[in-house]
């Protein structure tokens, strides 16, 4: 018995003492990824349909960017009337503090939500989904959550690079604060909208404004640079964004317009998370932004803030928004509704 212990001890010493081979990068053999069995049939069908056809488009001029964005916005707008009817919501355009907004109101507001309001920032890499095209997530949140939502149509490049979007976000937040208690205000968004949600809290705190009662950042674009393991590990695995080297990296440069991408108002992962309101984050195992999400979650936890993290099996970037009927979508909005109910003052 003593000889077995001696051999085991020697093995431990060898493992500890032996240096690992130095690696700057690891070559991973080509492999096939099976469909994730634990994902819903709806999500598996999305995975089987392949990558987004537009992921590797590279508009080169302002006019090309605008034409590219308009084409996508036209497709998005066409689906919205059916979605609004399905979700049982009304829809009204307006302005707050000079910024275009859309107010989405469910036909039935839950009793606990009568004095609450949610502010929504849409996704799209700071370039996509202008106007009504950016309201799908807000419509689903209002319908599933039975709560009033204000969706912000913030200005975007190529005409309005940074900091126009964040200036608009803060202006609307100030406007909503003028008539609502901060403890009854929630802020949410996905992708770019998730990054803007985090950056808004940083801006509001810097300007000594009361912070929202709770926030939700779905797969946030929290680092505009290609920093984070999943930018590499999920490269070409994510079938929505696919690779940073597609239009996404171009959009980051277009929006930043020469500013340091580590500025916390551009890449909020570099901000200070002490004193943040309760936050819920969501991502998926195949999401290019999975690291963007988990890095934020760790910073919130390290800062002592309340932070929940929801990770969906097999989900690529923001796919919970692609169909209101898919189980992952219903679970996403159920998670957000439960979180806001728990943390916003009624």
């Amino acid at each position: 018995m003593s000889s077995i212990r001696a051999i085991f001890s020697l093995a431990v010493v060898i493992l500890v003492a032996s240096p690992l081979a130095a690696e700057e990068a690891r070559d991973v053999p080509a492999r096939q990824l099976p469909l994730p069995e634990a994902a819903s049939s709806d999500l598996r069908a999305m995975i089987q349909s392949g990558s987004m056809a537009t992921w590797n488009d590279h508009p080169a001029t302002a006019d090309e960017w605008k034409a590219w964005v308009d084409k996508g916005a036209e497709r998005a707008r066409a689906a919205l009337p059916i979605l609004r009817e399905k979700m049982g919501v009304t829809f009204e355009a307006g302005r707050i503090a000079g910024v275009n907004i859309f107010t989405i109101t469910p036909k039935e507001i839950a009793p606990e939500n009568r004095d609450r309001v949610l502010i929504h920032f849409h996704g799209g890499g700071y370039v996509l989904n202008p106007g009504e095209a950016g309201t799908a997530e807000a419509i689903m949140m209002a319908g599933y959550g039975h709560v009033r939502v204000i969706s912000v149509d913030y200005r975007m490049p190529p005409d309005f690079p940074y900091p126009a979007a964040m200036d608009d976000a803060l202006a609307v937040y100030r406007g909503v604060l003028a008539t609502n208690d901060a403890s009854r205000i929630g802020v949410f968004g996905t992708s770019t909208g998730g990054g803007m949600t985090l950056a808004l809290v940083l801006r509001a705190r810097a300007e000594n404004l009361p912070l929202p009662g709770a926030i939700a950042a779905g797969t946030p674009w929290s680092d505009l640079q290609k920093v984070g393991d999943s930018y590499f590990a999920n490269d070409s695995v994510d079938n929505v964004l696919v690779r940073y080297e597609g239009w996404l990296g171009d959009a980051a440069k277009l929006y930043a317009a020469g500013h340091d991408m580590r500025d916390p108002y551009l890449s909020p992962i570099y901000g200070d998370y002490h004193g943040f309101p309760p936050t819920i984050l969501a991502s998926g195992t195949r999401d290019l932004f999975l690291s963007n999400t988990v890095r934020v979650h760790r910073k919130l936890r390290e800062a002592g803030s309340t932070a929940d993290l929801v990770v969906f099996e097999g989900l690529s970037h923001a796919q919970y928004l692609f169909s209101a009927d898919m189980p992952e979508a219903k679970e996403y909005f159920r998670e957000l509704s439960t979180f806001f109910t728990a943390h916003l003052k009624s």
Side-chain angles (χ1 to χ4, degrees):
M1 197 69 173
S2 59
S3 62
I4 294 175
R5 278 198 295 268
I7 292 170
F8 176 76
S9 298
L10 179 61
V12 170
V13 169
I14 292 172
L15 283 172
V16 172
S18 301
L20 296 173
E23 287 186 340
E24 290 296 325
R26 175 171 295 181
D27 290 327
V28 178
R31 63 199 188 279
Q32 289 187 327
L33 297 178
L35 289 174
E37 291 185 12
S40 71
S41 58
D42 291 349
L43 179 54
R44 291 198 299 272
M46 286 185 187
I47 295 171
Q48 285 182 299
S49 68
S51 299
M52 295 281 285
T54 57
W55 79 268
N56 203 27
D57 288 349
H58 295 276
T61 67
D63 286 343
E64 287 180 11
W65 273 106
K66 291 176 183 179
W68 187 74
V69 169
D70 287 345
K71 187 175 181 180
E74 184 178 355
R75 290 194 300 267
R77 284 193 300 268
L80 292 178
I82 294 173
L83 181 62
R84 290 195 292 263
E85 182 178 358
K86 180 182 185 65
M87 291 290 103
V89 302
T90 61
F91 177 87
E92 182 179 4
R95 290 173 71 82
I96 295 178
V99 180
N100 293 331
I101 58 97
F102 300 95
T103 301
I104 297 99
T105 307
K107 292 178 182 177
E108 294 184 11
I109 295 179
E112 66 271 19
N113 290 332
R114 285 174 184 162
D115 295 322
R116 294 171 174 166
V117 62
L118 303 183
I119 299 173
H120 169 250
F121 302 124
H122 66 81
Y126 289 103
V127 292
L128 293 170
N129 302 317
E132 184 183 341
T135 60
E137 183 179 23
I139 291 167
M140 286 187 272
M141 185 71 232
Y144 281 127
H146 301 286
V147 61
R148 181 167 61 100
V149 177
I150 295 171
S151 186
V152 182
D153 181 21
Y154 53 86
R155 292 170 295 163
M156 297 188 292
D159 291 337
F160 301 102
Y162 176 79
M166 288 312 307
D167 288 346
D168 288 355
L170 190 67
V172 171
Y173 182 63
R174 283 182 181 274
V176 175
L177 272 176
T179 55
N180 296 269
D181 188 277
S183 64
R184 294 186 173 94
I185 299 172
V187 182
F188 76 105
T190 284
S191 191
T192 296
M196 289 182 67
T197 295
L198 299 169
L200 174 72
V201 174
L202 297 174
R203 283 279 303 264
R205 187 180 60 192
E207 301 198 19
N208 297 314
L209 296 174
L211 301 184
I215 64 172
T219 178
W221 201 9
S222 59
D223 198 330
L224 266 62
Q225 305 169 106
K226 190 177 180 179
V227 175
D229 187 58
S230 65
Y231 271 126
F232 302 88
N234 282 342
D235 183 305
S236 301
V237 174
D238 184 318
N239 63 349
V240 177
L241 295 175
V242 185
R243 306 188 70 209
Y244 184 86
E245 287 73 19
W247 69 266
L248 182 69
D250 297 344
K253 294 175 184 176
L254 188 69
Y255 175 62
H259 289 82
D260 182 0
M261 287 192 190
R262 288 183 180 248
D263 182 329
Y265 301 147
L266 278 164
S267 295
I269 188 61
Y270 301 106
D272 178 2
Y273 283 72
H274 288 88
F276 251 60
T279 303
I280 184 169
L281 302 118
S283 185
T285 59
R286 296 191 178 194
D287 187 357
L288 201 68
F289 285 5
L290 177 58
S291 290
N292 279 334
T293 308
V294 299
R295 290 169 68 200
V296 171
H297 182 248
R298 291 312 313 151
K299 286 201 71 170
L300 285 163
R301 297 286 294 174
E302 290 165 1
S305 300
T306 297
D308 285 4
L309 174 62
V310 179
V311 180
F312 293 97
E313 173 75 354
L315 197 85
S316 291
H317 183 67
Q319 279 181 314
Y320 52 73
L321 299 181
F322 285 21
S323 169
D325 292 323
M326 68 187 293
E328 288 83 358
K330 293 179 180 179
E331 183 177 349
Y332 172 73
F333 289 106
R334 183 170 62 249
E335 290 277 5
L336 264 60
S337 297
T338 300
F339 192 83
F340 282 130
T341 296
H343 294 287
L344 295 182
K345 184 177 178 181
S346 58

